[in-house]
Amino acid sequence: MLSTNQLLIDGRRHTLLPATTVEAHRGEVLLVQADGQDRRTALSLALSGRMKPSNGTVVLGHDDSMASLRRRSAVVDAPDVNAPEHHLTVRSLASEDLALVPTKFRDRTRPTEWLVTHGFRDILEKWIEEIPPNRLLHLQLELALANPDVDLLVIDSPDRHTADVDAWLPLLEQAAAGLLGRGPNVPADSALRQLLVVGVVGCLPDGWDGRTAVAGNANSAEETTPPTEQKNTTAETPAAETDEAMAPTDTPEETK
């Protein structure tokens, strides 16, 4: 289980993330609604151990170590942090992401082979900007799960790319159920790699009856009605940080 208690992130001039308490369980998708891209990215980085909270806690299982949380988690598609750049080809993206896997495995230096064996031959030579949102998210999830240590996936604003919830929500559910990241050589009867999956979204999908939370819920006893998504036209751009968790600023910071 992933749990936060009164998780809060201060910025220089305003609160990036008001006090938030959530629980995520293995094999399930938790959707957390948060207003503004900066807030969503700050929450995504904090949940994955890549941003140090100003107050409160984030615990994965029974381990409250930030280093362990970073090692066992992956943040996916965070804008200005690790979202794929449009000038890259799919092959280049795979090469970069596989090179960051901390454990040794034969596909680390074979991005073309990895893409072919994982079912991405048809988009091998395409530019990132040419890839439909659902296909690109699928690729990013599979690349994140190339790291066998990952137990937790935090997807930053999957609904920002398309109004079609079917382009991203089924992929999150498949990841939670252990149907992604299996690879071509995994025996069909092997145990599923069920995951903790958190989607940080602008709006909760209509008809979604799974687990939900709202950023800032620890400040209010009323959590049932999420606030309306507000566009932040003056939001500051997240910048890159070192591999160590840094003290928070106005803008989320992280390395890939």
Side-chain angles (χ1 to χ4, degrees):
M1 181 175 75
L2 172 75
S3 62
T4 73
N5 183 33
Q6 298 283 334
L7 180 66
L8 181 144
I9 300 175
D10 287 327
R12 291 193 186 99
R13 293 178 291 277
H14 61 87
T15 299
L16 270 177
L17 177 70
T20 300
T21 296
V22 303
E23 282 188 1
H25 296 265
R26 189 175 298 277
E28 298 180 1
V29 175
L30 167 67
L31 296 182
V32 185
Q33 191 276 331
D35 287 340
Q37 187 60 66
D38 280 354
R39 179 163 295 175
R40 289 192 290 275
T41 299
L43 177 57
S44 298
L45 298 182
L47 290 177
S48 58
R50 288 157 173 82
M51 174 173 275
K52 184 178 179 180
S54 304
N55 190 40
T57 59
V58 184
V59 178
L60 181 57
H62 300 289
D63 189 348
D64 61 359
S65 163
M66 289 283 283
S68 177
L69 178 59
R70 286 196 300 274
R71 179 179 61 82
R72 297 174 57 193
S73 67
V75 62
V76 177
D77 201 30
D80 297 308
V81 179
N82 69 346
E85 298 178 11
H86 287 182
H87 70 268
L88 290 176
T89 63
V90 167
R91 191 200 303 267
S92 297
L93 173 65
S95 179
E96 288 186 1
D97 282 13
L98 293 175
L100 295 174
V101 176
T103 56
K104 292 182 179 180
F105 71 116
R106 66 186 298 271
D107 287 334
R108 184 169 183 165
T109 57
R110 303 176 184 222
T112 299
E113 182 176 341
W114 185 93
L115 286 163
V116 170
T117 57
H118 284 76
F120 296 103
R121 181 193 294 272
D122 59 311
I123 60 172
L124 187 62
E125 301 295 342
K126 290 186 178 294
W127 298 97
I128 292 300
E129 62 184 358
E130 298 179 88
I131 311 303
N134 60 329
R135 195 83 164 113
L136 183 56
L137 178 58
H138 184 194
L139 173 60
Q140 291 178 87
L141 293 172
E142 292 284 2
L143 286 168
L145 293 175
N147 181 353
D149 291 335
V150 168
D151 285 326
L152 165 67
L153 290 173
V154 182
I155 299 89
D156 186 348
S157 313
D159 56 341
R160 76 182 187 275
H161 299 294
T162 174
D164 181 8
V165 68
D166 290 334
W168 57 270
L169 186 53
L171 286 167
L172 270 58
E173 293 176 307
Q174 291 169 33
L179 300 177
L180 300 184
R182 290 175 61 78
N185 299 318
V186 176
D189 58 351
S190 63
L192 295 178
R193 181 186 174 186
Q194 291 189 326
L195 302 169
L196 298 131
V197 177
V198 181
V200 183
V201 298
C203 295
L204 296 173
D206 293 338
W208 170 250
D209 59 0
R211 191 176 294 272
T212 64
V214 177
N217 60 12
N219 286 334
S220 171
E222 185 61 53
E223 304 177 24
T224 56
T225 304
T228 302
E229 167 72 353
Q230 298 291 330
K231 291 185 178 179
N232 185 352
T233 58
T234 60
E236 297 171 69
T237 302
E241 77 165 30
T242 64
D243 189 51
E244 296 298 322
M246 304 291 289
T249 65
D250 299 70
T251 54
E253 303 183 357
E254 197 254 355
T255 55
K256 201 167 180 179

